[in-house]
Amino acid sequence: MIEVSKKCIGCGKCVPVCPFAAVNMIDKLAVINEACTLCGACVQICPLQAIVITREEASHRDHSGFRGVWVYVELTETGDKTHPKKIKPVTFELLSAGRKLADELKEDLCAVLLADKDRGYAKELGAYGADKIYILEHDELFEYNTDIFSTVMVSLVNRHKPSVMLYGATIQGRDLAPRVAAALYVGLTADCTGLAIKDGLLLQSRPAFGGNIMADILSPDSRPQMATVRPNVMKLSEPVHGRTALIVREAAKIDKSLRRVKVLERKMSHGGGGVKIENAKIIVSGGRGMKTKEKFRQLEELSKLLGGVVGASRAAVDLGFKEKAHQVGQSGTTVSPKLYLSFGISGAVQHIVGMKASDVIIAVNRDPNAPIFNVAKYGIVGDAHEIAPRLAEALKKK
Ligand code: FAD
Ligand code: SF4
Ligand code: SF4
């Protein structure tokens, strides 16, 4: 419920920020009409806190009208002027996982795209399983902005009432999802590594207590049930080209004054040499067992010969063998390359959780009982400092 209290002095600031023209000034007082989606934008802007939204206790809410599994479509810049933005791969992973959830719930899988311009994204979204695509185009959506995107997202959720809502656990998703959850007064499970349906509810699994146990979380009182999922965790399904989705065009009036943060300048960070291990097809990773920074360099050569990227355990990063951008694992990057070669890594659960989705894992460790061998397809018990250069020599000969 939304109410304007007697504190209102009729300054009118709340009128332009409402994306749905739900505020009118009548007799010099703000009056809110039925177009209101409870997005909260006017609450934030009112200098006198004259607008109050009260929400029902979660356990008292009626969940019957909530249907559909929603996936937030994240766009990333390409640097190419003709195609400046493309869909981030995590979106397709979420659609692949979301498809199974939607089938089990017998509900629609919907993709939600907020952008300045629709550049024909529907084809790909449909191919990865979306039944419906909500598209909201607006000039103010030219780049991600917390205030604007969360306001629009909240209003779409209030309008269409999905039962499940998934975001990538990316910088953007980790910023947007909690804002939306707080505005809607619902829960959010961050960094899920598994999603399923149990008794009609979303079963959200994620590592807890430093990765030592897996927690299964249900949100019986929350609608939508919201989760973020790390990139490279969910298996990508095969796209079905030619599969089409229903496009639903949404509209909203977005006022510039909602944007509290303005980006003045962008600079690319080159820490880690601009490395992107999350998309690498081949990763040659090293751990504490590599002993020194100099010896760790053996892996650089090997990785170059294989056309791959160097990864590292947290211990190797802490010891300064490699920059943080190369760290694989729970507090680093989750990867799923075709080939993951590990040298001198024990296989702690926090490391495994970030690389176990790799197609083929080859581990080298001098301890035959090292846990890394439990997830490796091929294991070599031996000295990494001997095996890495020998492998490099063999590759050079080829
Ligand atoms: P160690 O566990 O010390 O293992 C070294 C291995 O090298 C041993 O198995 C040894 O047998 C082998 N070895 C030694 N010499 C040789 C040799 N000459 N040849 C071959 N093998 C040799 N870790 C991560 O990696 N990524 C994360 O994102 C991450 N996040 C974490 C988050 C939390 C909240 C916590 C609590 C921990 C996290 N960790 C993470 C740390 C993790 O628990 C381990 O401490 C770390 O992964 C160990 O790194 P390591 O395998 O390189 O070192
Ligand atoms: Fe009234 Fe606040 Fe709106 Fe100003 S911003 S008109 S004080 S409700
Ligand atoms: Fe306020 Fe949002 Fe409702 Fe408009 S839609 S009146 S901005 S809460």
Side-chain angles (χ1 to χ4, degrees), residues 283 285-286 340-345 351 355 361-365 372:
I283 297 177
S285 235
Y340 189 89
L341 273 153
S342 118
F343 289 86
I345 294 177
H351 186 82
M355 45 66 86
I361 299 169
I362 304 178
V364 179
N365 196 305
I372 191 87

Side-chain angles (χ1 to χ4, degrees), residues 72-302:
Y72 172 69
V73 178
E74 187 169 337
L75 298 177
T76 181
E77 286 173 28
T78 59
D80 173 355
K81 281 197 178 137
T82 40
H83 301 286
K85 283 181 187 168
K86 64 174 186 178
I87 300 171
K88 255 200 166 171
V90 66
T91 306
F92 303 127
E93 293 163 16
L94 294 179
L95 285 171
S96 305
R99 184 67 268 163
K100 292 181 197 141
L101 304 175
D103 286 344
E104 194 144 336
L105 289 167
K106 298 191 176 46
E107 295 179 8
D108 280 344
L109 175 64
C110 309
V112 189
L113 173 71
L114 313 183
D116 55 340
K117 195 167 176 320
D118 174 14
R119 296 179 177 86
Y121 301 110
K123 258 191 197 171
E124 280 184 289
L125 297 170
Y128 279 97
D131 297 310
K132 209 185 259 181
I133 307 168
Y134 292 103
I135 301 179
L136 200 148
E137 283 176 273
H138 195 289
D139 289 348
E140 282 299 319
L141 300 169
F142 66 96
E143 67 175 5
Y144 176 72
N145 173 278
T146 312
D147 295 315
I148 292 186
F149 275 59
S150 60
T151 304
V152 173
M153 210 58 201
V154 169
S155 57
L156 290 179
V157 169
N158 278 330
R159 203 184 270 177
H160 297 286
K161 300 192 180 340
S163 63
V164 171
M165 168 109 229
L166 307 176
Y167 305 79
T170 56
I171 293 174
Q172 198 180 114
R174 283 174 172 167
D175 183 72
L176 179 63
R179 283 294 291 246
V180 174
L184 292 169
Y185 209 43
V186 299
L188 170 71
T189 308
D191 277 4
C192 290
T193 53
L195 296 172
I197 299 297
K198 190 180 178 210
D199 303 330
L201 293 171
L202 181 68
L203 180 72
Q204 304 151 97
S205 305
R206 55 150 300 154
F209 294 106
N212 291 315
I213 62 160
M214 288 300 288
D216 284 343
I217 296 162
L218 293 170
S219 315
D221 297 328
S222 271
R223 291 297 180 281
Q225 302 155 87
M226 299 224 311
T228 64
V229 180
R230 279 184 161 217
N232 292 315
V233 168
M234 297 294 163
K235 267 269 176 259
L236 202 59
S237 59
E238 275 302 313
V240 180
H241 298 291
R243 188 185 183 285
T244 53
L246 177 74
I247 294 178
V248 181
R249 300 220 175 255
E250 293 284 333
K253 186 171 78 61
I254 303 173
D255 192 78
K256 277 192 176 66
S257 56
L258 265 182
R259 186 184 292 276
R260 288 182 296 175
V261 173
K262 292 190 178 61
V263 179
L264 303 179
E265 190 186 1
R266 285 163 182 254
K267 277 190 181 163
M268 288 303 283
S269 154
H270 293 294
V275 69
K276 285 226 182 284
I277 58 168
E278 65 264 43
N279 302 326
K281 298 273 173 268
I282 297 177
I283 297 177
V284 181
S285 235
R288 198 198 309 267
M290 292 310 292
K291 301 281 192 303
T292 63
K293 197 170 179 172
E294 287 61 44
K295 288 188 175 161
F296 196 94
R297 289 209 184 100
Q298 293 178 326
L299 305 183
E300 309 270 357
E301 191 193 3
L302 191 54

